[in-house]
Amino acid sequence: MTKSDVTRGLIDFAVSQCLKNMKNDSRRSLRRLNDLGLQAAKGRFQSELFSLFQRMLNNDNSPYYEMLDKILFTTDTAFLKDFGINLGYNAWTLGAAQLRRSAENNRLPLSWLTELKPAASIDALSSQISRERENGRFAFLASLPEEGIGSGTGLFTLFRRFHDCDFLLNPGWTGCSLSSGQLEEAVRCTNLLFLLPFGSIECRRLAERLLAFKRTFIVTYTYEEKDFDELLSPEHIEELLSWGSPLLSFLPSPACSAQTRKAVDEAILDARMQQKFPALLIHWQEDIDRISNILSSPAQHTFADSLKTASVK
């Protein structure tokens, strides 16, 4: 047993206890969990991040408590624990340290999220995941091919095999026709999170089916130039939340200008810091890049720095 195995075991135990207690007193347990994170934090960035969470949690009127209660009481506990530890410890701590050590010619920023080839065979995907995992990457983005995956369940069996990795799965605008058997296999994967495009009738149905299995998901919204004024309006956020998940992701259309993307990024950062909605707002590529920049050199980056260095291309 390695040192990292022991560390993960201790984290697993602490998170399990906190999640168990949260159903009785979510606010107190959440603050305790954050305190544990602050005590165990290594590095300036982690310490500042948990300190920021601590200040936010001191706001008893924060809509984030409503968001967290919704997640806690409507989502499978095993999923919350496994997905969270895989992301926070395996990908963003253990894996990031390994990536920094092995970076060729100090090439930065490091990419912590790897896209899987959508048309690859199960064997090819397994080989790709194994290679990336050995290099320190534990988070993967997968898209279902346009023709679907037939009636097989091999993809979900593969995800379970790599149980220490996280998988984000985009079924596509019309690729949500999973059979009952396939969906049952999918929800057995406590390391799998679906990305569902808002506006797709098929994905709205899939959202309802996932909620019946106590599985949350990310609602993704692709915005246009003309959407800016109403993008983060209370009415629009409420419409997105009507799908049943407080995890909301925003992606620019290819036609969006860099200026609009920057304005949207600043608006999302402000909404998060001001805790305006009972939702976690994610500016998809910008936040992925932001995390990559931070993980690449935690000694130089702080959380405050990350708010100033959004990557808008």
Side-chain angles (χ1 to χ4, degrees):
M1 181 176 289
T2 65
K3 182 180 179 181
S4 61
D5 291 332
V6 174
T7 302
R8 172 158 182 140
L10 293 172
I11 294 172
D12 190 296
F13 177 77
V15 173
S16 294
Q17 290 299 111
C18 284
L19 287 173
K20 181 180 178 180
N21 295 333
M22 275 184 185
K23 298 204 172 176
N24 296 321
D25 188 342
S26 61
R27 298 192 177 199
R28 181 180 178 184
S29 297
L30 188 62
R31 287 168 178 162
R32 183 171 181 273
L33 182 62
N34 190 77
D35 289 342
L36 288 173
L38 185 58
Q39 293 171 19
K42 295 181 179 180
R44 185 177 173 188
F45 166 67
Q46 290 179 335
S47 296
E48 288 197 3
L49 183 59
F50 282 113
S51 295
L52 174 66
F53 289 159
Q54 190 175 58
R55 294 194 296 273
M56 294 170 74
L57 293 173
N58 286 334
N59 176 11
D60 287 329
N61 297 319
S62 172
Y64 280 4
Y65 280 117
E66 178 186 341
M67 172 188 73
L68 292 167
D69 280 343
K70 182 176 182 61
I71 291 176
L72 283 170
F73 288 98
T74 62
T75 307
D76 177 62
T77 302
F79 165 76
L80 292 175
K81 176 175 69 69
D82 292 347
F83 196 93
I85 294 176
N86 282 351
L87 190 63
Y89 180 66
N90 288 0
W92 289 351
T93 304
L94 185 68
Q98 183 178 343
L99 285 169
R100 287 193 298 271
R101 288 193 300 269
S102 61
E104 297 179 6
N105 301 319
N106 200 32
R107 185 173 62 246
L108 301 173
L110 302 172
S111 174
W112 59 272
L113 181 64
T114 301
E115 187 169 356
L116 298 176
K117 299 174 183 177
S121 66
I122 296 297
D123 287 342
L125 289 174
S126 178
S127 296
Q128 183 185 1
I129 296 168
S130 296
R131 288 193 305 272
E132 297 293 351
R133 186 178 174 279
E134 289 177 1
N135 291 330
R137 293 184 176 89
F138 292 85
F140 299 89
L141 174 63
S143 300
L144 293 184
E146 292 184 5
E147 64 274 15
I149 57 174
S151 58
T153 58
L155 183 64
F156 306 118
T157 301
L158 177 70
F159 292 163
R160 286 203 308 277
R161 189 192 315 162
F162 291 95
H163 55 85
D164 59 350
C165 298
D166 274 348
F167 297 92
L168 302 167
L169 181 61
N170 179 6
W173 191 261
T174 59
C176 303
S177 300
L178 297 178
S179 68
S180 296
Q182 287 174 322
L183 185 58
E184 288 175 4
E185 287 298 307
V187 297
R188 288 180 61 197
C189 303
T190 55
N191 58 345
L192 171 62
L193 182 64
F194 278 87
L195 309 175
L196 304 184
F198 184 81
S200 165
I201 296 175
E202 289 84 358
C203 285
R204 178 61 189 265
R205 293 186 184 126
L206 179 56
E208 294 170 353
R209 296 169 71 193
L210 286 169
L211 290 172
F213 281 100
K214 300 193 71 174
R215 293 298 294 272
T216 194
F217 45 86
I218 296 178
V219 179
T220 65
Y221 183 86
T222 301
Y223 62 86
E224 307 283 349
E225 293 274 347
K226 61 182 176 59
D227 295 330
F228 178 73
D229 289 340
E230 299 298 324
L231 189 63
L232 299 186
S233 69
E235 294 77 15
H236 189 235
I237 296 299
E238 184 176 352
E239 186 179 10
L240 297 177
L241 289 172
S242 70
W243 276 40
S245 172
L247 307 178
L248 310 179
S249 177
F250 299 85
L251 301 89
S253 71
C256 267
S257 66
Q259 182 180 2
T260 296
R261 287 178 58 179
K262 186 174 187 295
V264 169
D265 196 55
E266 291 173 349
I268 288 176
L269 287 172
D270 180 68
R272 287 202 302 239
M273 294 298 294
Q274 299 299 323
Q275 306 171 55
K276 291 182 178 179
F277 306 107
L280 176 61
L281 307 185
I282 305 165
H283 201 200
W284 185 254
Q285 190 58 53
E286 280 67 24
D287 279 326
I288 290 174
D289 292 345
R290 199 170 359 252
I291 293 169
S292 293
N293 284 324
I294 295 166
L295 297 180
S296 296
S297 185
Q300 281 73 42
H301 282 79
T302 68
F303 186 76
D305 293 334
S306 74
L307 299 182
K308 303 172 185 176
T309 57
S311 173
V312 179
K313 303 171 183 176

